[in-house]
Amino acid sequence: ELLEDGWEVWATVRSAEAQERFTASGVHCVMFTDDAPLDPAQQALHRATHLLVTAAPTDGGDPMLAKLEQSLKDASKLQWVGYLSTVGVYGDVGGEKVDESTRLEPLTQRAKRRVYAEKQWLDTGLPVHIFRLPGIYGPNRGPLEKVRTGSARRVLKEGHVFSRVHVDDISLVLSASIA
């Protein structure tokens, strides 16, 4: 969508296959692996006005901040930073509804890492927007795709509620936030 609107879009990738796929769709790519040089990512950040962070954090926190925190703070053109997190940061709320004021009580290690990464991003002083997403579905992903591929599993838990969001709806919300 952003490409169609005339945006110049850059992405960090971790494999040559991802780089090829994104480049074919018009996205500029920077390799972001443990052994990749940081200069290309730093140069892209200094030109960036908007940054969407999607990488999963490690036990040490957000991988981009671990390598590029000072470059991010020096990126004077940044007007918007979006961080994709998870509703898992709320823990088990027993079927109750949650919103941004709900207390964070992560139960899994994955959710605890997200809470830590959210805090890291908020502490940068950058214009950060946190998006806590439920299970994502859309083309080639989600519960129906898991049935097709034979990787589905049953969850037999009395009163268990699933929350899902379509990838196109995420795109719309992010576009509205950026505007």
Side-chain angles (χ1 to χ4, degrees):
E1 228 177 84
L2 293 176
L3 288 170
E4 294 169 7
D5 290 340
W7 287 64
E8 182 178 1
V9 177
W10 287 75
T12 57
V13 294
R14 293 179 284 175
S15 70
E17 296 81 23
Q19 185 170 18
E20 187 176 314
R21 189 174 67 250
F22 281 108
T23 301
S25 67
V27 174
H28 304 281
C29 293
V30 173
M31 192 62 68
F32 195 75
T33 59
D34 288 337
D35 56 347
L38 293 178
D39 287 349
Q42 290 169 326
Q43 291 171 13
L45 280 174
H46 285 290
R47 290 197 316 269
T49 57
H50 296 71
L51 175 68
L52 179 62
V53 182
T54 63
T58 65
D59 286 336
D62 186 273
M64 181 172 279
L65 284 175
K67 291 184 175 189
L68 297 169
E69 185 168 7
Q70 191 56 52
S71 293
L72 284 158
K73 288 180 179 178
D74 293 342
S76 60
K77 295 181 182 177
L78 272 180
Q79 302 166 18
W80 181 94
V81 177
Y83 181 77
L84 300 187
S85 189
T86 172
V87 295
V89 298
Y90 298 116
D92 185 350
V93 296
E96 295 296 316
K97 292 182 180 180
V98 299
D99 64 22
E100 294 78 13
S101 66
T102 303
R103 182 182 167 129
L104 303 184
E105 295 188 36
L107 300 176
T108 66
Q109 190 59 34
R110 176 179 175 262
K112 290 174 184 176
R113 286 192 298 260
R114 286 287 182 184
V115 169
Y116 180 57
E118 285 183 14
K119 181 176 179 344
Q120 285 182 297
W121 277 102
L122 292 169
D123 287 347
T124 64
L126 295 168
V128 175
H129 304 264
I130 305 292
F131 299 90
R132 295 183 178 137
L133 306 175
I136 301 169
Y137 73 97
N140 302 316
R141 63 183 309 154
L144 295 178
E145 184 64 22
K146 289 180 180 180
V147 169
R148 279 189 210 91
T149 63
S151 62
R153 55 193 170 111
R154 291 175 58 187
V155 176
L156 301 173
K157 198 172 176 183
E158 180 89 21
H160 188 77
V161 177
F162 289 97
S163 180
R164 302 273 187 243
V165 64
H166 194 279
V167 67
D168 289 344
D169 292 327
I170 297 169
S171 178
L172 286 172
V173 167
L174 293 173
S175 293
S177 177
I178 287 170

